[in-house]
Amino acid sequence: MSQENSIKLYKCRGKVAELENYCFDKDISGKTGIAHTRWATHGEPNDQNAHPHLSEDGQLALIHNGIIENYVILKKELMNRGYIFKSDTDTEVLVHLIQDIYIHGECSLATAVRQALKEVEGTYALAILSADNPSELIVAKKGSPLLIGIGKDEYFIASDGAPIVKYTKKVVYLEDGDVATIHPDKPIAITNINNEVRHPYTEKLEITLEQLEKGGFPHYMLKEIYEQPRAVLDSMRGRINTVKDVVSLGGILEYESKMMQAKRFIIAACGTSWHAGLVGKYLFESLVRLPVEVEYASEFRYRNPIITEEDVLIVISQSGETADTLAALELAKGKGATVIGICNVVGSTLARNTHAGSYTHAGPEIGVASTKAFTTQVTVLALMALSLSRKKGSISSSYYHQLINDLESIPDKISKVLLQNDKIAEIAKFFLDKRNAIYLGRGVNYPVALEGALKLKEISYIHAEGYPAAEMKHGPIALIDEEMPTVVIATQQETYGKIASNIQEVRARKGKIISIVSEGDVNVKAMSDFFIEVPHTEELLVPLVSSVPLQLLAYHVAVQRGCDVDKPRNLAKSVSVE
Ligand code: AGP
């Protein structure tokens, strides 16, 4: 906090609650304050590396979300000029660099920030305040998300809308290269790094406080799992017109003809969104009959991929702020491809930089482990594929209607799966003392196996791998013994018989089978130690029901192991740094 000619600094490692305890008896009053929950990139999570970082004279304080790629060179230059570093972070370089220009340049703090950022390579959302001008705050953005909330005689800065919606819904999203000067008694002044004025426009936050509350659930993750029937319904709302017998997504309508003429679809994403992309491949290739490549955005962006103007890139992201996915977007756009976005956060960087796109309307997703974002992403991909296949005539009218009818029944089917929550909590007990698990699926259930394994890994810290079931014979089957839980998604599908044989192979090696089966199943149930039934669903849409029991399984294993389900260690909800 800044007060007349002084800055008070309080920081510690750990959760925000620990900082609250630490500040319990401290004077935290002040005119302007900055705070940051650091996600460690350079330097381990400890008190010294926590933010804010102070200038040597203690007159400037800075917080930063992003990565300074040339920090080693800058640090060396600053150390040669006598600066002493207190932390191992890249961020500390920024405050010394800005101070160096500020005290020697006899210029405003905003000018010093602009000058300093000209020497910086990398990404940043930063805020800096000074003791000699305690009411003023300078913020800057490049790569990492940053918005300014406009309150009554006060301003807020944040990386997304959720933390400030309680105080205001009026926001200004900063663009890359922006440097803004914020003072409670003056309008926001924004320039670019060359001091050219930029005139921002105010937007309205779509989220509500009520959506940000747990609504009586013990964890956001469980609340969000239970929100899926409503979320899937909202992601279909106004997009299926049974009267006119069309599926239309307003956000991509203008680009549908380009999409239909595309030579190839590329889907780029990370984590759970990448798994949704894999389901998208099955949907688009089966229904639209176009080749689809699914790429990890982090690999795609550095592989110098062959991209042409006849390509369509679909970028999928819950947050719309994932750095690697945004880089894949910019890369493909730069090479002339049409870039379509599927995103859950209105006003996010992805939504503002794609050519067109569709929101998933899942509502805010707060639990780090993505759940309703996955099912609504798959729903939007299915709607896109149905809309294009209808216009292209690549599937029969009867199959088209079958899929539409089944899609509209998904919310009820998910509600039915949720009724088995207690049973799944019982099955979770089997995992509590296990160190590993394997998830198997075939066809469109292979991405579901990957997703189930990711959920277990990221919140219960049990190592888990997802595989196409037939791959077992080529290595992973060596891992099978009584201690290895094997979760098999064996819903009724073309390869049902094949996956039943895969289950036999695991049982033959004393592996324990936990199966996801279609209602009324007999054969696989008989071979399983535990089973969970899901309603019959069209094969291409089955991930919308078969993924839900795996979300609940991971949730209950994590809860029963005493893990912090909503904020698992080492993870952030939106990975806005590379
Ligand atoms: C999933 O549970 C994880 N939180 C993570 O893998 C996530 O899916 C990934 O970081 C992508 O995030 P995005 O959808 O916001 O781009």
Side-chain angles (χ1 to χ4, degrees), residues 490 496-507 511-515 521-531:
Y496 177 78
K498 306 285 179 205
I499 202 149
S501 330
N502 298 132
I503 292 175
Q504 289 290 20
E505 291 152 12
V506 172
R507 282 174 55 80
K512 294 282 183 269
I513 298 290
I514 299 94
S515 62
D521 181 283
V522 177
N523 182 14
V524 169
K525 263 195 219 171
M527 296 192 275
S528 305
D529 300 276
F530 307 95
F531 64 83

Side-chain angles (χ1 to χ4, degrees), residues 270-273 316-320 322 325 368-370 377 451 454-455 458 572-575:
C270 304
T272 288
S273 297
I316 307 176
S317 174
Q318 187 287 127
S319 61
T322 301
T325 308
V368 165
S370 205
Q377 285 163 354
E451 179 55 12
L454 175 62
K455 291 284 94 82
E458 65 179 321
K573 180 63 189 168
S574 164
V575 184

Side-chain angles (χ1 to χ4, degrees), residues 133 223 295 326 336 357 385 421 454 489 554:
N133 193 351
K223 176 192 176 212
E295 300 274 357
L326 294 177
N421 183 37
L454 175 62
I489 303 117

Side-chain angles (χ1 to χ4, degrees), residues 384-395:
M384 274 186 188
L386 283 163
S387 171
L388 295 174
S389 60
R390 183 74 164 157
K391 294 188 175 100
K392 218 176 154 210
S394 48
I395 58 171

Side-chain angles (χ1 to χ4, degrees), residues 424-437:
I424 297 171
E426 269 312 297
I427 297 172
K429 292 193 173 116
F430 175 69
F431 288 73
L432 300 188
D433 62 346
K434 302 294 182 287
R435 296 175 57 78
N436 301 287

Side-chain angles (χ1 to χ4, degrees), residues 399-467:
Y399 186 37
Y400 169 81
H401 289 110
Q402 225 171 297
L403 287 167
I404 296 273
N405 294 342
D406 205 34
L407 197 53
E408 289 185 309
S409 72
I410 293 291
D412 291 345
K413 290 181 176 176
I414 295 178
S415 300
K416 220 170 164 204
V417 174
L418 294 173
L419 296 175
Q420 299 177 79
N421 183 37
D422 296 346
K423 175 181 176 181
I424 297 171
E426 269 312 297
I427 297 172
K429 292 193 173 116
F430 175 69
F431 288 73
L432 300 188
D433 62 346
K434 302 294 182 287
R435 296 175 57 78
N436 301 287
I438 285 189
Y439 287 67
L440 302 177
R442 276 181 175 259
V444 75
N445 274 327
Y446 160 51
V448 178
L450 293 173
E451 179 55 12
L454 175 62
K455 291 284 94 82
L456 191 74
K457 272 184 272 205
E458 65 179 321
I459 59 173
S460 77
Y461 316 142
I462 294 175
H463 173 237
E465 296 292 341
Y467 281 100

